[in-house]
Amino acid sequence: MTEFALETEGLGKRYGRSWALRDCTLQLPTGRIAALVGPNGAGKSTLLHLAVGLLRPDEGRVRVFGRDPRADAGVLAGIGFVAQDTPLYRDFTAAELITMGGRLNRTWAADLAADRLAQLGIPVDRPVGRLSGGQRAQVALALALAKRPRLLLLDEPIAALDPLARHEFMQTLMGAVAETGTTVLLSSHLLADLERSCDHLVLLRTASVQLSGEVDELLVGHRTLVGPRTDGPIPGVAEVLRASHTDRQSTLVVRLDGAPLDPSWIVHDVALEDLVLAHLAAAETRAAARTASEVAA
Ligand code: ADP
């Protein structure tokens, strides 16, 4: 039986009358590096805070390695969390933060964190408030990894970093994960940074899951079709996500239904970023149609 690092079922969190996350059902198998992607305000932080037990669900349930993170404090020992903007105590040095972590956590690999920072040439004797954004993010990551977590949750850790610092951060992360087999869920509104590193995708838009699954399977299930102009149903296609037409020709990003395609189509693979954009565009179109029908009614 597959063991899931994170599993949610009908999970929802509400602020007043607005849902920050609603009807969220997903399964993240262990050992994956998963991208949690979606526009700002889609509910990514909310999902991560629910997973680490900082928020209480209003609906549904969340399980980490099969356990409820709010009911079962033991499970928290196995979760590493890097919150948005890597909020560290800025007056403390990295060395002091490593020592402090040792007092707060039962399992704590202080040497591992110190070695990692030394390798990166990050001074451990300077208040972290005086380090660069990229260095601070590396300190936060080293501290999260020192806990030897089975699940590592990272909330937009690279959004504020320059491209080189982003690259270095992702390299450290990938190296650490290769060594430890930790499952990672990493949120970003920029898929391009994650596309090469992630093997699992969760796409959120306005509080709901648009798409979730293994990247390979998602890519196999989608194609771009180019052919004579058509507006009707297409054999082999479950859903047209995005369409652009000239007088004579249609270019369609589609989700396949497994039946054979008409050989007259010119068929291209879809890049992950195009697939995500197509799903977001399709959701936008559906939402606009819903609003229009509500106005009409
Ligand atoms: P993301 O991380 O994808 O940017 P969030 O999970 O932060 O999205 O937010 C989802 C929605 O919930 C947004 O509309 C946001 O304004 C709202 N929200 C988040 N936190 C609060 C809060 N503490 N009080 C009220 N609304 C909130």
Side-chain angles (χ1 to χ4, degrees):
M1 206 175 80
T2 314
E3 190 190 22
F4 296 112
L6 175 67
E7 192 174 12
T8 70
E9 208 183 298
L11 183 65
K13 172 72 197 167
R14 192 174 52 196
Y15 292 105
R17 291 177 57 198
S18 317
W19 290 91
L21 188 72
R22 186 147 208 209
D23 201 18
C24 170
T25 298
L26 58 87
Q27 292 172 329
L28 173 60
T30 55
R32 299 300 190 282
I33 301 179
L36 174 59
V37 180
N40 287 327
K44 302 184 293 296
S45 291
T46 303
L47 174 58
L48 294 174
H49 284 97
L50 287 160
V52 79
L54 287 169
L55 288 174
R56 182 196 305 275
D58 290 310
E59 272 182 4
R61 61 186 201 113
V62 55
R63 294 287 179 270
V64 174
F65 298 107
R67 293 149 75 187
D68 178 348
R70 285 185 72 85
D72 192 339
V75 73
L76 294 182
I79 307 178
F81 181 48
V82 178
Q84 212 160 6
D85 305 323
T86 50
L88 298 170
Y89 298 100
R90 299 171 77 91
D91 294 336
F92 286 84
T93 65
E96 288 165 341
L97 291 171
I98 291 172
T99 307
M100 211 148 88
R103 305 234 169 88
L104 297 172
N105 293 281
R106 223 178 307 153
T107 52
W108 188 251
D111 294 352
L112 201 77
D115 289 352
R116 201 160 263 142
L117 295 178
Q119 263 172 29
L120 292 162
I122 294 174
V124 295
D125 55 356
R126 197 181 294 169
V128 291
R130 288 183 17 218
L131 298 176
S132 72
Q135 291 175 324
R136 247 194 326 274
Q138 291 280 9
V139 172
L141 178 59
L143 290 170
L145 289 168
K147 208 174 160 182
R148 295 189 189 278
R150 293 176 71 201
L151 173 65
L152 179 58
L153 305 171
L154 302 135
D155 195 357
E156 300 253 11
I158 53 176
L161 306 185
D162 64 52
L164 179 62
R166 269 185 210 165
H167 178 71
E168 287 175 351
F169 183 94
M170 288 307 290
Q171 264 193 330
T172 312
L173 179 63
M174 302 303 289
V177 166
E179 280 167 27
T180 58
T182 300
T183 308
V184 177
L185 180 60
L186 174 70
S187 81
S188 179
H189 60 282
L190 304 165
L191 177 66
D193 290 321
L194 311 183
E195 186 162 5
R196 262 171 291 140
S197 325
C198 295
D199 48 22
H200 196 96
L201 176 78
V202 178
L203 173 63
L204 293 182
R205 179 188 170 276
T206 50
S208 62
V209 179
Q210 299 296 321
L211 195 62
S212 161
E214 305 289 301
V215 169
D216 288 351
E217 288 170 20
L218 293 173
L219 292 178
V220 165
H222 292 76
R223 288 288 183 275
T224 298
L225 308 181
V226 182
R229 176 156 187 146
T230 174
D231 293 305
I234 303 166
V237 168
E239 187 183 5
V240 175
L241 298 164
R242 214 172 192 187
S244 59
H245 305 284
T246 62
D247 285 349
R248 292 160 168 231
Q249 186 174 288
S250 292
T251 303
L252 313 170
V253 179
V254 301
R255 184 163 60 80
L256 303 173
D257 69 6
L261 290 165
D262 187 311
S264 67
W265 288 107
I266 299 166
V267 182
H268 299 286
D269 290 344
V270 181
L272 190 60
E273 187 161 24
D274 293 336
L275 186 156
V276 163
L277 291 173
H279 272 275
L280 290 175
E284 202 79 39
T285 309
R286 281 195 297 272
R290 253 197 319 273
T291 309
S293 73
E294 278 163 20
V295 169

